[in-house]
Amino acid sequence: MSRSLDCDFECRFKQGPVIRAAFALPTEEASVTVLFGPSGCGKTTVLRCLAGLEKPDTGFIRFGEESWCEAATQVHQPPQRRTLGFVFQDYALFPNLSVAGNLAYPLVGISKDERHRRVSAMIALLKLEGLEHRRPVELSGGQQQRVALGRALIHRPRLLLMDEPLSALDRPSQESLRRELRGILREMGIPALLVTHDRNEALMLGDRLLLMQDGGIQQDGLPAEVFTRPRTPELAQALGIGTVVRVRILSRENGLVRVAAGSVELLAPDPGGLGEYAHACIRGEGVAVEREVHGDPTTRNRLRAKIVGMEPQGALVRLHLDCGFSLEALVTAWACEDLNLREGETVMAMVKATAIHLIPVW
Amino acid sequence: MDWQALALSLKLSFCTMVVLVVLGMPLAAWLAFSKRRWKPIVEAIVALPLVLPPTVLGFYVLMALGPSSPLGACCERIFGHRLPFTFSGLLIASVLYSLPFAVQPFSAAFASVDPRILEASACSGAGPLKTFFRLILPLSWAGVLTGLVLSFAHTLGEFGVVLMVGGNIPGATRTVSIAIYDQVQSMDYGAAARTSALLLGVSFTVLVLTYSLRKVRLFP
């Protein structure tokens, strides 16, 4: 019988939201499950309940045959009995202990030589050589994150819980550590549950994604699938899909469906099960912009559009377009400059049919 | 100068400090981390010596330790003698009288440790004792030091409780503050001035050292 983490519980806060979670995680394989959702939706509460740092008001948490929490019978195993690793958002390193001291802290019941061997191996794995005797305050954010990860992994926990582990880092450090984190988790072979609201983090690290919104898990699937095929328009917005527009179904042909969005027509893949109306979700990355405004705008999802707003976002610029309905496009700052795009100007927006996801309206 | 009284005061202060480490720390840890509804009652009991006149506290301790009370009778069976007007009785009274001076700084220091660190310790498999000795105690050393020094200095200068419970027996319960009182009563102002100056100097030095040490941040 395969061992899994099964939970179905509720946490109620006085004059606050109710957080619900019901899912099962297989823990025999070293997969990474991402708990994704906007800030404040209850992701951290779910993680804290699994760790034993919060007590659910109703429901249960079971790990294989072990009962970690049964609210009905007041069973609540403390974190010490759950044998898990927890990486906190702010790392929570022990300020009075060195890097080696922090890493060795969870190791008990083993010989001094074995402890030394495991700490040295972890230092090598996390590329912390030469920092063994430093205190946390003497480390950079990235180094602190590695120590926190090492401390959570060194006692070989049965499950690793990570609460937005990269959010306190600057973007370049986030990107390099994200790549390394995936490799480290694979090498250690420990199943992990990662909380994040960062799409790139979820896509890069996750094998499975639980989408959380309004205090509950709303969708469960492969990360790329959940991000491209949200189940409801609200989830599409929670996933950061810039354009969600109500459309009317005009015709179906060869696996494609022609829809009317405002005053224009679009071609999109037919997901099946469509009625008369649907919601079209269009990712900004799937919309290209060019200067040429001539030609037939009705072919291949070419739409004449007016730029009504420009929002710089690092290396990218989010363009707000009016093309008969509100459309968002995400283009590089370089392309924006090259095309000399300005607010109020008319451009041609090209929407990839595959970037359109239709959600039936019931 | 009554060196015997000074030695007794130092011995009493040291013993009180040691007992307060053993009893005060668990009590302070409970006060810092407990979420019990009746915690304010315990906090009030601990703080009582701060507002109660020493004679009132001394009176109750004297009554409680006396042979006519069940506690006093029990203590007499254990120690083989009555506790009032002995060093042991004086020590019990001093511990009670100095309790808030140790427990309150301990408790405030323990409570100031980042709760996230305590959670990280629990998630690393550490029990309460390991967390206390490896993390809480080292991280709250300044508050612990303050509590120890305050209880030591406070015991060194106590008068009312000592007089009520210990009386004035040279070598057994006659502390330096009682000696000063005696010297003034017998109009030996010179000796009283010297003893007072010594007590003032010791107390001041101890406090200056404490406040200087507290500024040293071991773990930023």
mmCIF file of all heavy atoms in Angstrom, chain A residues 178-214:
data_model
loop_
_atom_site.group_PDB
_atom_site.id
_atom_site.type_symbol
_atom_site.label_atom_id
_atom_site.label_comp_id
_atom_site.label_asym_id
_atom_site.label_seq_id
_atom_site.Cartn_x
_atom_site.Cartn_y
_atom_site.Cartn_z
ATOM 1 N N ARG A 178 16.427 29.008 -7.826
ATOM 2 C CA ARG A 178 15.308 28.202 -8.299
ATOM 3 C C ARG A 178 15.827 26.987 -9.069
ATOM 4 O O ARG A 178 15.389 25.870 -8.877
ATOM 5 C CB ARG A 178 14.428 29.072 -9.202
ATOM 6 C CG ARG A 178 13.011 28.593 -9.305
ATOM 7 C CD ARG A 178 12.222 29.529 -10.179
ATOM 8 N NE ARG A 178 11.908 30.778 -9.527
ATOM 9 C CZ ARG A 178 11.852 31.958 -10.152
ATOM 10 N NH1 ARG A 178 12.129 32.042 -11.435
ATOM 11 N NH2 ARG A 178 11.535 33.040 -9.492
ATOM 12 N N ARG A 179 16.825 27.264 -9.923
ATOM 13 C CA ARG A 179 17.409 26.167 -10.714
ATOM 14 C C ARG A 179 18.075 25.142 -9.790
ATOM 15 O O ARG A 179 17.906 23.943 -9.956
ATOM 16 C CB ARG A 179 18.442 26.723 -11.704
ATOM 17 C CG ARG A 179 17.817 27.295 -12.965
ATOM 18 C CD ARG A 179 18.880 27.576 -14.012
ATOM 19 N NE ARG A 179 19.778 28.648 -13.599
ATOM 20 C CZ ARG A 179 19.521 29.938 -13.785
ATOM 21 N NH1 ARG A 179 18.417 30.310 -14.383
ATOM 22 N NH2 ARG A 179 20.379 30.852 -13.400
ATOM 23 N N GLU A 180 18.820 25.661 -8.798
ATOM 24 C CA GLU A 180 19.541 24.757 -7.896
ATOM 25 C C GLU A 180 18.578 23.979 -7.007
ATOM 26 O O GLU A 180 18.791 22.801 -6.732
ATOM 27 C CB GLU A 180 20.480 25.566 -6.997
ATOM 28 C CG GLU A 180 21.737 25.990 -7.709
ATOM 29 C CD GLU A 180 22.646 26.745 -6.785
ATOM 30 O OE1 GLU A 180 22.777 26.342 -5.619
ATOM 31 O OE2 GLU A 180 23.203 27.768 -7.219
ATOM 32 N N LEU A 181 17.531 24.643 -6.566
ATOM 33 C CA LEU A 181 16.571 24.022 -5.645
ATOM 34 C C LEU A 181 15.980 22.760 -6.255
ATOM 35 O O LEU A 181 15.863 21.728 -5.602
ATOM 36 C CB LEU A 181 15.480 25.038 -5.305
ATOM 37 C CG LEU A 181 14.452 24.643 -4.259
ATOM 38 C CD1 LEU A 181 15.126 24.320 -2.934
ATOM 39 C CD2 LEU A 181 13.441 25.767 -4.037
ATOM 40 N N ARG A 182 15.627 22.850 -7.507
ATOM 41 C CA ARG A 182 15.042 21.708 -8.212
ATOM 42 C C ARG A 182 16.019 20.515 -8.169
ATOM 43 O O ARG A 182 15.645 19.396 -7.862
ATOM 44 C CB ARG A 182 14.739 22.130 -9.656
ATOM 45 C CG ARG A 182 14.168 21.088 -10.541
ATOM 46 C CD ARG A 182 12.695 20.933 -10.333
ATOM 47 N NE ARG A 182 12.367 19.525 -10.258
ATOM 48 C CZ ARG A 182 11.151 19.053 -10.147
ATOM 49 N NH1 ARG A 182 10.123 19.871 -10.055
ATOM 50 N NH2 ARG A 182 10.918 17.786 -10.097
ATOM 51 N N GLY A 183 17.297 20.807 -8.452
ATOM 52 C CA GLY A 183 18.310 19.754 -8.457
ATOM 53 C C GLY A 183 18.519 19.164 -7.069
ATOM 54 O O GLY A 183 18.634 17.940 -6.913
ATOM 55 N N ILE A 184 18.548 20.034 -6.063
ATOM 56 C CA ILE A 184 18.770 19.567 -4.684
ATOM 57 C C ILE A 184 17.618 18.674 -4.236
ATOM 58 O O ILE A 184 17.828 17.613 -3.654
ATOM 59 C CB ILE A 184 18.945 20.778 -3.738
ATOM 60 C CG1 ILE A 184 20.267 21.495 -4.037
ATOM 61 C CG2 ILE A 184 18.907 20.336 -2.274
ATOM 62 C CD1 ILE A 184 20.391 22.866 -3.410
ATOM 63 N N LEU A 185 16.390 19.084 -4.542
ATOM 64 C CA LEU A 185 15.225 18.298 -4.130
ATOM 65 C C LEU A 185 15.233 16.929 -4.818
ATOM 66 O O LEU A 185 14.915 15.911 -4.214
ATOM 67 C CB LEU A 185 13.925 19.042 -4.447
ATOM 68 C CG LEU A 185 13.676 20.302 -3.611
ATOM 69 C CD1 LEU A 185 12.405 21.007 -4.066
ATOM 70 C CD2 LEU A 185 13.564 19.964 -2.131
ATOM 71 N N ARG A 186 15.628 16.915 -6.090
ATOM 72 C CA ARG A 186 15.720 15.645 -6.818
ATOM 73 C C ARG A 186 16.778 14.750 -6.178
ATOM 74 O O ARG A 186 16.560 13.563 -5.966
ATOM 75 C CB ARG A 186 16.110 15.913 -8.280
ATOM 76 C CG ARG A 186 14.970 16.433 -9.110
ATOM 77 C CD ARG A 186 14.660 15.469 -10.278
ATOM 78 N NE ARG A 186 13.395 15.838 -10.909
ATOM 79 C CZ ARG A 186 13.279 16.731 -11.882
ATOM 80 N NH1 ARG A 186 14.337 17.354 -12.329
ATOM 81 N NH2 ARG A 186 12.097 16.996 -12.402
ATOM 82 N N GLU A 187 17.940 15.360 -5.869
ATOM 83 C CA GLU A 187 19.050 14.591 -5.318
ATOM 84 C C GLU A 187 18.696 14.020 -3.944
ATOM 85 O O GLU A 187 19.031 12.882 -3.629
ATOM 86 C CB GLU A 187 20.285 15.486 -5.207
ATOM 87 C CG GLU A 187 21.523 14.690 -4.860
ATOM 88 C CD GLU A 187 22.810 15.457 -5.110
ATOM 89 O OE1 GLU A 187 22.810 16.371 -5.961
ATOM 90 O OE2 GLU A 187 23.805 15.123 -4.445
ATOM 91 N N MET A 188 18.007 14.807 -3.124
ATOM 92 C CA MET A 188 17.658 14.336 -1.779
ATOM 93 C C MET A 188 16.505 13.326 -1.820
ATOM 94 O O MET A 188 16.345 12.530 -0.911
ATOM 95 C CB MET A 188 17.246 15.519 -0.886
ATOM 96 C CG MET A 188 18.354 16.502 -0.566
ATOM 97 S SD MET A 188 19.686 15.804 0.425
ATOM 98 C CE MET A 188 18.894 15.539 1.990
ATOM 99 N N GLY A 189 15.689 13.385 -2.868
ATOM 100 C CA GLY A 189 14.599 12.417 -3.021
ATOM 101 C C GLY A 189 13.520 12.535 -1.968
ATOM 102 O O GLY A 189 12.947 11.531 -1.531
ATOM 103 N N ILE A 190 13.250 13.764 -1.550
ATOM 104 C CA ILE A 190 12.247 13.969 -0.505
ATOM 105 C C ILE A 190 11.033 14.690 -1.115
ATOM 106 O O ILE A 190 11.209 15.707 -1.791
ATOM 107 C CB ILE A 190 12.846 14.809 0.653
ATOM 108 C CG1 ILE A 190 13.930 13.973 1.354
ATOM 109 C CG2 ILE A 190 11.784 15.247 1.660
ATOM 110 C CD1 ILE A 190 14.783 14.740 2.306
ATOM 111 N N PRO A 191 9.823 14.162 -0.902
ATOM 112 C CA PRO A 191 8.648 14.855 -1.451
ATOM 113 C C PRO A 191 8.475 16.224 -0.788
ATOM 114 O O PRO A 191 8.772 16.372 0.405
ATOM 115 C CB PRO A 191 7.488 13.914 -1.096
ATOM 116 C CG PRO A 191 7.984 13.085 0.021
ATOM 117 C CD PRO A 191 9.466 12.969 -0.132
ATOM 118 N N ALA A 192 8.026 17.172 -1.566
ATOM 119 C CA ALA A 192 7.939 18.534 -1.023
ATOM 120 C C ALA A 192 6.615 19.184 -1.385
ATOM 121 O O ALA A 192 6.030 18.895 -2.433
ATOM 122 C CB ALA A 192 9.098 19.372 -1.565
ATOM 123 N N LEU A 193 6.172 20.043 -0.479
ATOM 124 C CA LEU A 193 5.003 20.886 -0.743
ATOM 125 C C LEU A 193 5.483 22.328 -0.643
ATOM 126 O O LEU A 193 5.997 22.755 0.392
ATOM 127 C CB LEU A 193 3.898 20.616 0.290
ATOM 128 C CG LEU A 193 2.608 21.418 0.115
ATOM 129 C CD1 LEU A 193 1.941 21.096 -1.209
ATOM 130 C CD2 LEU A 193 1.632 21.126 1.248
ATOM 131 N N LEU A 194 5.354 23.042 -1.734
ATOM 132 C CA LEU A 194 5.905 24.396 -1.830
ATOM 133 C C LEU A 194 4.770 25.407 -1.961
ATOM 134 O O LEU A 194 3.903 25.264 -2.817
ATOM 135 C CB LEU A 194 6.817 24.469 -3.059
ATOM 136 C CG LEU A 194 7.288 25.835 -3.516
ATOM 137 C CD1 LEU A 194 8.537 26.241 -2.757
ATOM 138 C CD2 LEU A 194 7.592 25.836 -4.999
ATOM 139 N N VAL A 195 4.793 26.401 -1.110
ATOM 140 C CA VAL A 195 3.802 27.473 -1.196
ATOM 141 C C VAL A 195 4.405 28.642 -1.963
ATOM 142 O O VAL A 195 5.530 29.050 -1.674
ATOM 143 C CB VAL A 195 3.388 27.926 0.233
ATOM 144 C CG1 VAL A 195 2.860 29.338 0.219
ATOM 145 C CG2 VAL A 195 2.336 26.993 0.802
ATOM 146 N N THR A 196 3.714 29.136 -2.939
ATOM 147 C CA THR A 196 4.228 30.300 -3.668
ATOM 148 C C THR A 196 3.090 31.073 -4.344
ATOM 149 O O THR A 196 2.007 30.528 -4.559
ATOM 150 C CB THR A 196 5.274 29.879 -4.730
ATOM 151 O OG1 THR A 196 5.830 31.050 -5.323
ATOM 152 C CG2 THR A 196 4.665 29.011 -5.826
ATOM 153 N N HIS A 197 3.362 32.344 -4.640
ATOM 154 C CA HIS A 197 2.423 33.069 -5.493
ATOM 155 C C HIS A 197 3.146 33.535 -6.758
ATOM 156 O O HIS A 197 2.647 34.357 -7.511
ATOM 157 C CB HIS A 197 1.772 34.242 -4.738
ATOM 158 C CG HIS A 197 2.745 35.307 -4.340
ATOM 159 N ND1 HIS A 197 3.327 35.351 -3.115
ATOM 160 C CD2 HIS A 197 3.220 36.354 -5.019
ATOM 161 C CE1 HIS A 197 4.139 36.391 -3.063
ATOM 162 N NE2 HIS A 197 4.089 37.017 -4.208
ATOM 163 N N ASP A 198 4.346 32.939 -6.967
ATOM 164 C CA ASP A 198 5.164 33.281 -8.126
ATOM 165 C C ASP A 198 4.952 32.227 -9.221
ATOM 166 O O ASP A 198 5.245 31.050 -9.028
ATOM 167 C CB ASP A 198 6.639 33.320 -7.691
ATOM 168 C CG ASP A 198 7.559 33.761 -8.811
ATOM 169 O OD1 ASP A 198 7.458 33.189 -9.907
ATOM 170 O OD2 ASP A 198 8.375 34.669 -8.582
ATOM 171 N N ARG A 199 4.457 32.675 -10.362
ATOM 172 C CA ARG A 199 4.115 31.764 -11.459
ATOM 173 C C ARG A 199 5.344 31.017 -11.970
ATOM 174 O O ARG A 199 5.300 29.811 -12.206
ATOM 175 C CB ARG A 199 3.479 32.612 -12.572
ATOM 176 C CG ARG A 199 2.989 31.842 -13.723
ATOM 177 C CD ARG A 199 2.189 32.731 -14.649
ATOM 178 N NE ARG A 199 1.907 31.991 -15.868
ATOM 179 C CZ ARG A 199 2.631 32.086 -16.976
ATOM 180 N NH1 ARG A 199 3.656 32.887 -17.021
ATOM 181 N NH2 ARG A 199 2.318 31.372 -18.038
ATOM 182 N N ASN A 200 6.460 31.752 -12.124
ATOM 183 C CA ASN A 200 7.668 31.108 -12.648
ATOM 184 C C ASN A 200 8.159 30.019 -11.701
ATOM 185 O O ASN A 200 8.600 28.959 -12.142
ATOM 186 C CB ASN A 200 8.785 32.149 -12.840
ATOM 187 C CG ASN A 200 8.445 33.109 -13.949
ATOM 188 O OD1 ASN A 200 7.664 32.767 -14.846
ATOM 189 N ND2 ASN A 200 8.978 34.315 -13.882
ATOM 190 N N GLU A 201 8.090 30.321 -10.408
ATOM 191 C CA GLU A 201 8.521 29.352 -9.394
ATOM 192 C C GLU A 201 7.659 28.092 -9.480
ATOM 193 O O GLU A 201 8.164 26.967 -9.445
ATOM 194 C CB GLU A 201 8.369 30.004 -8.020
ATOM 195 C CG GLU A 201 9.287 29.449 -6.960
ATOM 196 C CD GLU A 201 9.293 30.376 -5.765
ATOM 197 O OE1 GLU A 201 9.714 31.543 -5.924
ATOM 198 O OE2 GLU A 201 8.862 29.950 -4.688
ATOM 199 N N ALA A 202 6.354 28.313 -9.609
ATOM 200 C CA ALA A 202 5.418 27.188 -9.671
ATOM 201 C C ALA A 202 5.683 26.344 -10.910
ATOM 202 O O ALA A 202 5.712 25.114 -10.857
ATOM 203 C CB ALA A 202 3.991 27.706 -9.677
ATOM 204 N N LEU A 203 5.913 27.007 -12.048
ATOM 205 C CA LEU A 203 6.130 26.277 -13.304
ATOM 206 C C LEU A 203 7.454 25.538 -13.304
ATOM 207 O O LEU A 203 7.555 24.424 -13.811
ATOM 208 C CB LEU A 203 6.082 27.257 -14.482
ATOM 209 C CG LEU A 203 4.685 27.689 -14.915
ATOM 210 C CD1 LEU A 203 4.773 28.856 -15.890
ATOM 211 C CD2 LEU A 203 3.934 26.529 -15.555
ATOM 212 N N MET A 204 8.472 26.156 -12.721
ATOM 213 C CA MET A 204 9.815 25.569 -12.777
ATOM 214 C C MET A 204 9.995 24.450 -11.750
ATOM 215 O O MET A 204 10.683 23.468 -12.019
ATOM 216 C CB MET A 204 10.841 26.664 -12.517
ATOM 217 C CG MET A 204 12.225 26.247 -12.865
ATOM 218 S SD MET A 204 13.183 27.695 -13.231
ATOM 219 C CE MET A 204 14.797 26.976 -13.320
ATOM 220 N N LEU A 205 9.392 24.607 -10.577
ATOM 221 C CA LEU A 205 9.650 23.635 -9.513
ATOM 222 C C LEU A 205 8.564 22.573 -9.374
ATOM 223 O O LEU A 205 8.812 21.498 -8.851
ATOM 224 C CB LEU A 205 9.801 24.363 -8.172
ATOM 225 C CG LEU A 205 11.005 25.292 -8.039
ATOM 226 C CD1 LEU A 205 10.943 26.063 -6.724
ATOM 227 C CD2 LEU A 205 12.290 24.499 -8.099
ATOM 228 N N GLY A 206 7.348 22.899 -9.803
ATOM 229 C CA GLY A 206 6.225 22.021 -9.485
ATOM 230 C C GLY A 206 6.041 20.857 -10.441
ATOM 231 O O GLY A 206 6.184 20.994 -11.655
ATOM 232 N N ASP A 207 5.722 19.681 -9.877
ATOM 233 C CA ASP A 207 5.282 18.536 -10.680
ATOM 234 C C ASP A 207 3.762 18.504 -10.714
ATOM 235 O O ASP A 207 3.159 17.905 -11.580
ATOM 236 C CB ASP A 207 5.782 17.226 -10.053
ATOM 237 C CG ASP A 207 7.289 17.160 -10.061
ATOM 238 O OD1 ASP A 207 7.867 17.322 -11.145
ATOM 239 O OD2 ASP A 207 7.893 16.987 -8.985
ATOM 240 N N ARG A 208 3.183 19.136 -9.694
ATOM 241 C CA ARG A 208 1.727 19.164 -9.588
ATOM 242 C C ARG A 208 1.366 20.495 -8.941
ATOM 243 O O ARG A 208 2.161 21.038 -8.146
ATOM 244 C CB ARG A 208 1.289 17.999 -8.700
ATOM 245 C CG ARG A 208 -0.186 17.931 -8.429
ATOM 246 C CD ARG A 208 -0.448 16.813 -7.447
ATOM 247 N NE ARG A 208 -1.799 16.888 -6.926
ATOM 248 C CZ ARG A 208 -2.203 16.227 -5.863
ATOM 249 N NH1 ARG A 208 -1.373 15.451 -5.209
ATOM 250 N NH2 ARG A 208 -3.437 16.341 -5.442
ATOM 251 N N LEU A 209 0.208 21.026 -9.267
ATOM 252 C CA LEU A 209 -0.162 22.321 -8.722
ATOM 253 C C LEU A 209 -1.557 22.283 -8.097
ATOM 254 O O LEU A 209 -2.499 21.748 -8.699
ATOM 255 C CB LEU A 209 -0.107 23.379 -9.834
ATOM 256 C CG LEU A 209 -0.256 24.817 -9.366
ATOM 257 C CD1 LEU A 209 0.791 25.700 -10.016
ATOM 258 C CD2 LEU A 209 -1.630 25.378 -9.676
ATOM 259 N N LEU A 210 -1.638 22.789 -6.883
ATOM 260 C CA LEU A 210 -2.938 22.956 -6.231
ATOM 261 C C LEU A 210 -3.218 24.452 -6.231
ATOM 262 O O LEU A 210 -2.453 25.218 -5.642
ATOM 263 C CB LEU A 210 -2.896 22.448 -4.787
ATOM 264 C CG LEU A 210 -2.449 20.998 -4.557
ATOM 265 C CD1 LEU A 210 -2.311 20.716 -3.074
ATOM 266 C CD2 LEU A 210 -3.457 20.044 -5.168
ATOM 267 N N LEU A 211 -4.260 24.840 -6.913
ATOM 268 C CA LEU A 211 -4.571 26.273 -7.006
ATOM 269 C C LEU A 211 -5.548 26.644 -5.898
ATOM 270 O O LEU A 211 -6.629 26.061 -5.774
ATOM 271 C CB LEU A 211 -5.180 26.570 -8.385
ATOM 272 C CG LEU A 211 -5.653 28.003 -8.628
ATOM 273 C CD1 LEU A 211 -4.526 29.001 -8.413
ATOM 274 C CD2 LEU A 211 -6.195 28.133 -10.039
ATOM 275 N N MET A 212 -5.133 27.611 -5.077
ATOM 276 C CA MET A 212 -5.937 27.978 -3.921
ATOM 277 C C MET A 212 -6.494 29.387 -4.106
ATOM 278 O O MET A 212 -5.785 30.292 -4.541
ATOM 279 C CB MET A 212 -5.047 27.938 -2.684
ATOM 280 C CG MET A 212 -5.830 27.732 -1.426
ATOM 281 S SD MET A 212 -4.779 27.325 -0.066
ATOM 282 C CE MET A 212 -6.002 27.512 1.207
ATOM 283 N N GLN A 213 -7.760 29.530 -3.768
ATOM 284 C CA GLN A 213 -8.382 30.859 -3.822
ATOM 285 C C GLN A 213 -9.568 30.882 -2.866
ATOM 286 O O GLN A 213 -10.233 29.852 -2.674
ATOM 287 C CB GLN A 213 -8.851 31.181 -5.249
ATOM 288 C CG GLN A 213 -9.036 32.667 -5.434
ATOM 289 C CD GLN A 213 -9.820 32.995 -6.693
ATOM 290 O OE1 GLN A 213 -10.612 32.195 -7.156
ATOM 291 N NE2 GLN A 213 -9.593 34.160 -7.225
ATOM 292 N N ASP A 214 -9.803 32.036 -2.251
ATOM 293 C CA ASP A 214 -10.925 32.215 -1.327
ATOM 294 C C ASP A 214 -10.959 31.141 -0.240
ATOM 295 O O ASP A 214 -12.007 30.589 0.087
ATOM 296 C CB ASP A 214 -12.265 32.211 -2.090
ATOM 297 C CG ASP A 214 -12.338 33.329 -3.095
ATOM 298 O OD1 ASP A 214 -11.694 34.369 -2.839
ATOM 299 O OD2 ASP A 214 -13.010 33.177 -4.122
#
